[in-house]
Amino acid sequence: MKMYDDLPAVISHEAHRAHKLKLVTTDGPPFRCDGCMEPGSGQGRRYRCDSCDFDLHTSCAVPEYTLKHPLYGDDLEFQLLHSPLSVDGKFCNACGYATLGFVYQCSRKDNKDLELHPCCAALKMETVLPDGHILQLCKEAKQDCLFCREKGRPLSSSSSSPASKKFWTSFRKEKLWAYQWRCGGSEGYLHVVCMKKIAAQIWEQTYQDSPGGGVVEASVPVMKGMLQGRSSLNSETSAAIAVQGTMDLGATIADVISASMQ
């Protein structure tokens, strides 16, 4: 998915006809995008109307209205909808969270429609971090996720709503996107939904403690610690290290997911 190099300073958007939206750079608490209804870090760029307290991720405000995603090949085309055709049991195929607002949808002949949050569609396919970590976006995890210890859908992606229960009962083996992390001869996987969960914690903690931080950078210390200790740690200890890592070293993982959720 293409990202704008030079974002326009002011735009008009049909989702907020009352006023123009201004591109702002903020350094505050997390926010919820009024387009896709997904969270944003609050520390970066977004489009905003101060008068109405209305916010859009940049990926929602100036999107591509049609796209082909590398993980699905050239045969499938997604179209951006400003409201889902149905909210009954509809979930993002990348992260598993409900699609409640702006959504990329691809209708297929087998009636298994694909849906992506704009911020998930904007995730980078590959990122190389300064410390040598290489992140590769994958359609599914080939091993258990080092955070939730699940290979398929993580428990954290479901909710208690009837629609959610129906969805996960029908698609218990649904595969969700994950990042493969490689560093120093070791590799591991983190679900995108788990990284979003880590990032949400980091955004809250970062705002309280110091500026900076986002989704992918937030997971770097977590993954680094878990890759180093995966052979000797049980899942309970690994999870404890993961949570402690997010709290203590949270400002390092944001680039990958934060870039898509501004």
Side-chain angles (χ1 to χ4, degrees), residues 86-99:
S86 170
V87 295
D88 182 20
K90 295 293 186 179
F91 290 79
C92 174
N93 288 81
C95 70
Y97 284 141
T99 50

Side-chain angles (χ1 to χ4, degrees), residues 241-255:
I241 287 180
V243 173
Q244 188 62 42
T246 57
M247 294 300 103
D248 293 344
L249 302 170
T252 321
I253 192 177
D255 267 354

Side-chain angles (χ1 to χ4, degrees), residues 26-31 40-44 46 203 261:
T26 60
D27 182 17
F31 72 98
S41 72
Q43 298 177 4
R46 69 181 189 260
W203 291 339
M261 301 185 78

Side-chain angles (χ1 to χ4, degrees), residues 1-205:
M1 179 177 181
K2 296 179 181 177
M3 296 296 290
Y4 284 79
D5 293 326
D6 296 313
L7 292 167
V10 180
I11 63 169
S12 297
H13 200 286
E14 61 182 277
H16 190 68
R17 297 180 183 274
H19 305 102
K20 293 184 181 295
L21 303 179
K22 294 182 179 180
L23 181 65
V24 297
T25 300
T26 60
D27 182 17
F31 72 98
R32 186 165 297 277
C33 175
D34 291 296
C36 68
M37 310 307 292
E38 284 289 288
S41 72
Q43 298 177 4
R45 297 186 298 176
R46 69 181 189 260
Y47 282 92
R48 176 168 175 79
C49 173
D50 284 330
S51 300
C52 303
D53 192 25
F54 183 91
D55 298 281
L56 290 179
H57 293 127
T58 57
S59 56
C60 290
V62 285
E64 292 182 85
Y65 285 91
T66 62
L67 67 86
K68 294 181 179 180
H69 198 281
L71 290 182
Y72 293 107
D74 292 335
D75 293 336
L76 299 180
E77 184 173 79
F78 289 81
Q79 292 187 333
L80 181 68
L81 305 178
H82 280 170
S83 59
L85 297 178
S86 170
V87 295
D88 182 20
K90 295 293 186 179
F91 290 79
C92 174
N93 288 81
C95 70
Y97 284 141
T99 50
L100 303 175
F102 293 5
V103 61
Y104 281 104
Q105 187 176 73
C106 176
S107 298
R108 301 196 298 186
K109 293 180 180 179
D110 58 6
N111 293 322
K112 293 183 179 180
D113 293 348
L114 297 172
E115 297 199 347
L116 297 174
H117 293 125
C119 53
C120 290
L123 288 169
K124 295 179 181 179
M125 286 298 299
E126 183 174 274
T127 298
V128 180
L129 300 179
D131 63 357
H133 277 79
I134 300 174
L135 288 68
Q136 181 71 47
L137 187 62
C138 305
K139 207 171 181 179
E140 63 183 80
K142 302 297 184 183
Q143 305 168 5
D144 287 350
C145 171
L146 291 179
F147 188 78
C148 72
R149 317 304 291 183
E150 296 270 340
K151 184 177 180 181
R153 59 94 184 170
L155 296 175
S156 60
S157 65
S158 61
S159 69
S160 59
S161 69
S164 177
K165 289 181 178 179
K166 180 181 178 181
F167 177 85
W168 291 118
T169 299
S170 301
F171 298 95
R172 291 189 63 85
K173 296 186 182 299
E174 185 76 10
K175 304 299 184 183
L176 298 178
W177 290 9
Y179 270 101
Q180 179 194 45
W181 294 63
R182 303 192 306 275
C183 185
S186 297
E187 71 171 31
Y189 290 83
L190 277 182
H191 289 120
V192 166
V193 65
C194 293
M195 294 173 69
K196 290 173 77 170
K197 183 177 181 181
I198 292 170
Q201 297 174 2
I202 295 308
W203 291 339
E204 293 288 349
Q205 184 73 15

